[in-house]
Amino acid sequence: LSRFLGRAGESHMRAMYRVMRYCISTPSRGLELKPKRSWDGDRAFEFEIEGWSDSDYANDVEQRRSVSGWAVFLEGAPISMKSQMQHCVTLSSTEAEYVAATSCFQDMLFVMQVVESIGLKVKKPMKLHMDNKGAIDMVDTWRVGGRTKHIDVRHHFIRDMKELGAIKIVWKASEEMVGDLFTKNLGQSLSNTHTSVFSGMDEYLDML
């Protein structure tokens, strides 16, 4: 909706009303910043940072750009979430997922630097969850083919970080991908499942 503030129409007004109805009807839903492990102040304790990354390929009907969506968790508590249009046009769903994963890792890296700047430790490698095996292969290998050599070099630093042991890519099935909340219109059942991860309902915490 924010992309159409300057040229909003009736369809956007109806979408806004729908968002407002959802907010009003779900007053108990909200972010729960509750860690999954307790910390007793031990300096040897290693904090876990995990990311969930997803994309929706060529979602924009005007510019054909894809949408990146990701969430970063510190000890199971959601501390960073974003949904944004990608700055470049990607040529495949694999490339779109790869770009989204790079953006997510940048957020994870920032959180890691903040934690370490106050003298605490971060468990490495950090886990980044993805549901596209083609994009995972791009991170895991340095092989460059005709369909991938055009990708902007700035997105490839995630490969360097994996080689250095800073990150580990974990495959997740699409129905378990929390990042879908930020890129797609989900059905009620799947939407409830994913939003419950952020609101701290215990039966869904095992997804993290």
Side-chain angles (χ1 to χ4, degrees), residues 115-174:
V115 173
E116 291 183 338
S117 70
I118 57 178
L120 302 177
K121 295 183 178 180
V122 173
K123 184 178 180 180
K124 298 186 182 79
M126 299 179 289
K127 293 181 181 179
L128 174 57
H129 302 271
M130 301 172 62
D131 63 359
N132 187 293
K133 292 185 176 180
I136 293 175
D137 287 341
M138 289 179 65
V139 178
D140 286 340
T141 68
W142 282 93
R143 183 174 64 253
V144 177
R147 295 184 179 182
T148 59
K149 64 183 180 181
H150 65 280
I151 297 177
D152 196 330
V153 68
R154 69 190 180 93
H155 296 299
H156 291 315
F157 94 104
I158 193 173
R159 291 175 170 176
D160 278 334
M161 295 296 101
K162 180 182 178 297
E163 292 293 325
L164 293 173
I167 189 172
K168 175 183 178 182
I169 307 299
V170 180
W171 179 81
K172 285 289 184 180
S174 294

Side-chain angles (χ1 to χ4, degrees), residues 99 111 183:
V99 171
V111 174
T183 59

